[in-house]
Amino acid sequence: MSNDCCNTDESNKNLKGLDHKDAIQERYGSAALEKESCLCTPVGFNPVLLEAIPEEVIERDYGCGNPTKYVKKNDIVLDLGSGSGKNAFICSQIVGEEGKVIGVDQNPDMLKLSRYASKKFSEKIGFINTEFLSGSIENLDVLDKDLNPLIANKSVDIILSNCVLNLVNPESRKNLLRNIKRVLKDNGRIAISDIVSSKRVPLRLQNDHDLWTGCISGAWYEPELLNDFKDLGFKNLEFAERSNEPWKVIEDIEFRTVTLVGNI
C-alpha cells in the first residue's frame, strides 16, 4: 500500500464522488436514540461538571478527547458537531453566565436531544447560555433570509470539536478550515480533539461507509492536520494531547487520538 496514494490525479478525481452524508446521518441519528458503544473512544471528564447534565446526553456522547479543558471563563464558544450537547453543557458551566456556547450540528435527532436537554440543564444551573443551531460545520457562512451568515465573522473566542472534523468530506475541508478562521476573533483559539492516521488512508478504505462513519477512514493524516492549520496562519500549534498507543490499526495504518490547540 503506497503512502501517497491520495496524491494522484485519479485519486483526487475519485474523492469528488466520496459522499457519506446519508450514512453519517443515519448512524448518528440512531446513536442519538440509542447508545452505540463503538463510536469513537471513551473519555474521562470532570465529574462535577457532569452532575447537571441529563443522563441521556452523557450516554449518547461520542468523542475522542476533552477539548473543554481549554475553555475559559466568559468565552464565546463554538462547538462544531455538538451532537448530544455534552461538551457544550460542560463549557456552559466553565464560561459562566457572561459567556456563551453555540453548538452546530446537522443531525435532526441529535439537535432534538440537545435542545430538549438544554431546558432541563438550564434549570439546574440557573441560567441559559447555550444555543444549538442546525447546519453543517463546513458551511458556517451559509446566509439566512436576512443575508446573515450562520456564524458571524470574528464572533467566537474559541472553537472546539470532538471527533467530528474527520467526518467532513475531503472536498469540503478547505471551506471548513476557511470558516474556522473567519469566525474566530483576533487571537481566537482552537481546541480540536480528533482521530489522525499514521499514513494517508487509501480510497478503498475511505469509500467504506462503516469505517468513515466510525471516525476511522476519514482521519486526517497527522502531519497534514498541523500543516493545514499552519497554512491558515494559526500560531503556537501543538498536540496538547496525543495517545501513545493507537486506537485502531487497520492494514498497518495506525489511528490515534489527538487534541490540537493553537491561536490565530
Side-chain angles (χ1 to χ4, degrees):
M1 180 178 61
S2 171
N3 289 354
D4 59 357
C5 61
C6 291
N7 284 341
T8 66
D9 291 339
E10 186 62 29
S11 294
N12 290 331
K13 190 186 301 180
N14 289 338
L15 278 174
K16 294 182 179 179
L18 185 66
D19 189 358
H20 299 283
K21 184 175 181 179
D22 290 342
I24 291 169
Q25 290 284 57
E26 181 178 351
R27 186 165 187 178
Y28 281 83
S30 297
L33 303 175
E34 185 175 347
K35 181 178 180 179
E36 182 178 340
S37 59
C38 59
L39 277 175
C40 296
T41 66
V43 179
F45 290 84
N46 184 340
V48 174
L49 296 176
L50 300 179
E51 290 176 359
I53 302 176
E55 187 61 31
E56 61 265 36
V57 167
I58 296 172
E59 286 182 352
R60 293 167 180 81
D61 173 65
Y62 306 103
C64 58
N66 182 7
T68 68
K69 294 192 296 187
Y70 305 94
V71 171
K72 301 175 182 177
K73 188 175 177 59
N74 298 331
D75 271 345
I76 297 175
V77 180
L78 175 62
D79 182 6
L80 298 180
S82 48
S84 70
K86 177 176 151 184
N87 288 265
F89 294 139
I90 291 172
C91 291
S92 168
Q93 298 169 82
I94 297 171
V95 303
E97 198 165 358
E98 299 301 315
K100 184 176 181 180
V101 183
I102 305 164
V104 174
D105 205 286
Q106 64 180 359
N107 188 280
D109 293 304
M110 285 294 186
L111 283 168
K112 184 177 180 181
L113 173 59
S114 61
R115 288 168 173 171
Y116 171 75
S118 182
K119 297 175 184 178
K120 294 197 289 185
F121 169 74
S122 297
E123 288 173 1
K124 286 192 175 182
I125 66 171
F127 56 86
I128 301 173
N129 65 354
T130 56
E131 179 182 15
F132 295 97
L133 304 178
S134 175
S136 60
I137 64 172
E138 62 268 36
N139 293 317
L140 301 175
D141 51 355
V142 66
L143 302 179
D144 63 17
K145 59 182 177 61
D146 297 317
L147 301 183
N148 297 313
L150 183 66
I151 304 295
N153 294 356
K154 295 190 175 185
S155 61
V156 174
D157 292 302
I158 182 168
I159 288 175
L160 61 85
S161 183
N162 201 341
C163 212
V164 175
L165 298 197
N166 69 82
L167 297 173
V168 175
N169 188 308
E171 197 179 10
S172 302
R173 289 182 179 176
K174 283 188 178 179
N175 206 47
L176 167 69
L177 293 167
R178 183 179 64 79
N179 269 292
I180 286 174
K181 181 178 181 180
R182 177 185 65 81
V183 304
L184 281 173
K185 297 179 182 179
D186 294 337
N187 208 36
R189 294 133 39 222
I190 56 168
I192 294 170
S193 296
D194 222 302
I195 306 293
V196 295
S197 62
S198 61
K199 298 179 182 180
R200 294 187 180 92
V201 181
L203 279 169
R204 57 189 172 75
L205 294 183
Q206 291 186 53
N207 279 312
D208 185 309
H209 281 343
D210 288 338
L211 290 178
W212 191 282
T213 61
C215 301
I216 297 173
S217 62
W220 241 282
Y221 176 42
E222 186 171 341
E224 288 183 351
L225 181 62
L226 273 172
N227 289 334
D228 284 345
F229 278 90
K230 281 181 182 177
D231 290 345
L232 278 178
F234 278 83
K235 302 169 287 187
N236 305 312
L237 285 166
E238 64 171 335
F239 290 130
E241 298 176 35
R242 181 182 184 275
S243 60
N244 292 323
E245 296 299 319
W247 171 51
K248 303 275 187 184
V249 179
I250 298 176
E251 296 187 12
D252 84 348
I253 304 173
E254 296 182 349
F255 297 88
R256 57 176 28 88
T257 62
V258 299
T259 297
L260 177 67
V261 299
N263 61 280
I264 194 66

